[in-house]
Amino acid sequence: MSFTLGIVGIGQFGSHFAELFAAHPEIDGIYAVDSVPERIDAVEARGVRFAGRFGTLEDLLASDVDAVAIFTQRWTHGQHALAALRAGKHVYSAVPMAIEEDEIRQITEEVQRTGLVYMMGETSQYNAAVVLARRIHRSGAFGEVFYAEGDYVHDMDLGFYDAYKYSGGDAWKSTASYPPLLYPTHSIGGILGVLGERHATSVSALGRPDTRGDGVFDKDVSMFANDVSNAFALFGMDNGGAFRTNELRRVGYPSHKRESRFRFFGEASSFEETIDVTYWHDKERVLDVTEQIRTGATMSLDDPRLADVSPALRDAFVAGAAPVHHQARLPKEFQGLPNGHEGAHHFLVDDFARAVVDGAQPMVNAWQAARYTLPGVIAHQSMNRDGERLPIQDLGDCPLPVQDLDADQEPLDLEALWSAQEAAEQAAQQG
């Protein structure tokens, strides 16, 4: 059973995903909604064919299109997702899920009531380092993970000014002040995307007011009354451990190379990711796993399809698969198509399409999306209360059937990787 999909927001991100949704064999046709029709024209000029257009989201929801993909401004996702679910549509939503606790709760209630598919497209779920760490965790090699770290380290100077100008128009400074902790899913999602059985129970967060003085993080300008550009949160976990996240928008760091990075510390072994090198290590050995997460490029940085994307952001739109990815599960139609965010885009589209067709919830379903999003909402409240530790009310596990399209992937053989490293080191010494 194939289905039709309406894409709301044909901007830098939505236009990129339109090509993938259009290529997926389970999707019959795609429709477009954007307040700037020229953006739809530009995508069609690149060879993507829309089955039709709608003037507004309301027009789309009144149609017989089966599903909706939401790529609108990040603070509108919750209300748009609820409207779509209440109109009987399956929903794919860009991150974050919502910025209000009540909206997050209502989305889970609506999915449970209707059985419709909801998926949040969190790229960290398929970030190559997260995929590798998840496979290590599933093998049992970590033992109990008692502490983890996730950083979303993206300086405003590296493409964000252009992106906000593109989406925000003349009032772009008011939206560019978006609070870092209300965009938490890249860091939290990378951690809990590995520790799938864990969730946050409490948080204490701090924020550093911006000092650039360029009118972006200015409470008098910001539609969010926000002047914080760097924020830091420490979360309690339900196993008695903790994880820490950083959301940094003013930082000397090459985010175009790796904007998200992660560390996991278990009782038996640990995992640490840096800019150029990544290691798994136990109490005796240190294994370099860098090559397992190295992604190849799927298109040139000068590709015309990236013309509207700031050069400083283009790396995120070209990174393809890594050896650790389960490439065999993807439809053959995706071969050679654009990818991005360390190989995540193909998997996100496939997860959603196959969930709708199979009648199951995807891995990043509404309840898992809540676990990636709600802790940031509460952390933002903590930050505004000078770091007061606040409880996080977990919404529980998904009560509906959930599909795991990577369940049939070959188990990760750390011993084989260790033997290969030893052999390479011996060969280098001999030669």
Side-chain angles (χ1 to χ4, degrees):
M1 180 201 80
S2 57
F3 66 97
T4 53
L5 174 74
I7 302 173
V8 186
I10 311 296
Q12 293 177 334
F13 217 53
S15 62
H16 183 83
F17 272 79
E19 187 169 353
L20 299 179
F21 283 124
H24 199 285
E26 302 288 6
I27 298 179
D28 249 354
I30 61 171
Y31 296 77
V33 178
D34 198 283
S35 59
V36 184
E38 291 78 13
R39 293 178 180 173
I40 305 175
D41 296 338
V43 175
E44 288 195 318
R46 301 200 303 257
V48 176
R49 293 289 170 242
F50 292 102
R53 304 184 185 195
F54 293 94
T56 65
L57 171 62
E58 291 71 25
D59 293 338
L60 169 62
L61 297 185
S63 76
D64 60 0
V65 171
D66 301 306
V68 172
I70 299 167
F71 294 97
T72 53
Q73 295 277 34
R74 56 191 70 177
W75 57 91
T76 66
H77 295 168
Q79 64 194 61
H80 289 167
L82 280 170
L85 289 167
R86 288 166 178 162
K89 314 297 184 186
H90 303 290
V91 172
Y92 177 101
S93 174
V95 298
M97 181 183 193
I99 63 171
E100 299 287 345
E101 181 173 6
D102 190 51
E103 286 182 341
I104 293 170
R105 190 180 304 277
Q106 287 182 60
I107 290 171
T108 62
E109 292 170 350
E110 202 65 28
V111 173
Q112 185 166 7
R113 182 184 72 82
T114 62
L116 291 165
V117 168
Y118 172 93
M119 176 175 164
M120 184 178 73
E122 174 43 55
T123 56
S124 283
Q125 184 75 15
Y126 291 106
N127 174 295
V130 172
V131 172
L132 177 56
R134 181 163 60 240
R135 293 180 66 185
I136 293 171
H137 184 51
R138 287 181 173 181
S139 76
F142 283 140
E144 184 73 11
V145 176
F146 57 86
Y147 179 71
E149 297 178 353
D151 301 327
Y152 182 51
V153 189
H154 197 143
D155 191 271
M156 286 289 294
D157 291 329
L158 296 181
F160 270 173
Y161 280 96
D162 291 337
Y164 278 110
K165 290 175 183 177
Y166 178 89
S167 63
D170 292 340
W172 70 272
K173 285 188 177 181
S174 70
T175 63
S177 59
Y178 188 85
L181 289 170
L182 294 184
Y183 195 72
T185 62
H186 292 335
S187 52
I188 297 175
I191 293 172
L192 298 183
V194 171
L195 311 178
E197 73 284 13
R198 301 270 71 93
H199 64 265
T201 58
S202 65
V203 63
S204 175
L206 298 173
R208 181 176 184 270
D210 194 60
T211 58
R212 176 69 67 86
D214 63 358
V216 172
F217 293 99
D218 183 329
K219 285 187 175 182
D220 293 332
V221 176
S222 170
M223 66 178 286
F224 312 99
N226 176 56
D227 64 353
V228 169
S229 53
N230 291 333
F232 333 97
L234 180 64
F235 298 90
M237 276 196 296
D238 61 313
N239 68 346
F243 66 87
R244 188 269 303 146
T245 65
N246 286 323
E247 293 290 338
L248 308 183
R249 305 296 179 262
R250 299 288 195 202
V251 55
Y253 182 90
S255 59
H256 59 286
K257 288 189 174 182
R258 177 158 288 146
E259 65 183 7
S260 299
R261 64 178 190 177
F262 304 95
R263 303 169 79 200
F264 298 88
F265 292 88
E267 293 179 347
S269 72
S270 302
F271 177 97
E272 298 188 76
E273 181 185 19
T274 69
I275 283 287
D276 294 317
V277 184
T278 299
Y279 296 105
W280 169 79
H281 42 80
D282 59 16
K283 298 176 184 180
E284 299 176 354
R285 304 173 294 179
V286 178
L287 177 64
D288 185 335
V289 293
T290 306
E291 291 305 313
Q292 293 298 309
I293 66 170
R294 192 179 301 280
T295 57
T298 58
M299 57 198 292
S300 166
L301 293 173
D302 296 321
D303 191 292
R305 287 172 289 189
L306 299 176
D308 290 332
V309 178
S310 167
L313 289 175
R314 290 179 186 176
D315 280 304
F317 288 83
V318 305
V324 73
H325 281 124
H326 188 14
Q327 286 293 106
R329 62 161 260 202
L330 294 174
K332 67 180 187 305
E333 289 84 354
F334 279 6
Q335 293 179 9
L337 290 186
N339 206 332
H341 284 90
E342 302 204 38
H345 296 183
H346 287 187
F347 291 96
L348 295 175
V349 170
D350 190 48
D351 271 7
F352 179 69
R354 291 170 65 178
V356 172
V357 170
D358 296 342
Q361 295 297 316
M363 290 299 291
V364 190
N365 53 72
W367 287 264
Q368 193 68 2
R371 286 177 168 170
Y372 293 0
T373 309
L374 180 57
V377 174
I378 305 303
H380 181 68
Q381 296 172 10
S382 170
M383 182 194 76
N384 287 331
R385 291 161 67 169
D386 295 324
E388 179 183 348
R389 180 156 293 279
L390 300 176
I392 298 169
Q393 185 62 50
D394 183 66
L395 301 185
D397 296 326
C398 179
L400 304 173
V402 178
Q403 64 176 13
D404 179 359
L405 298 180
D406 291 328
D408 63 346
Q409 189 175 15
E410 286 293 322
L412 185 68
D413 191 340
L414 288 168
E415 292 303 321
L417 292 175
W418 175 250
S419 296
Q421 179 174 290
E422 281 190 316
E425 289 173 349
Q426 289 173 3
Q429 290 172 359
Q430 293 170 1

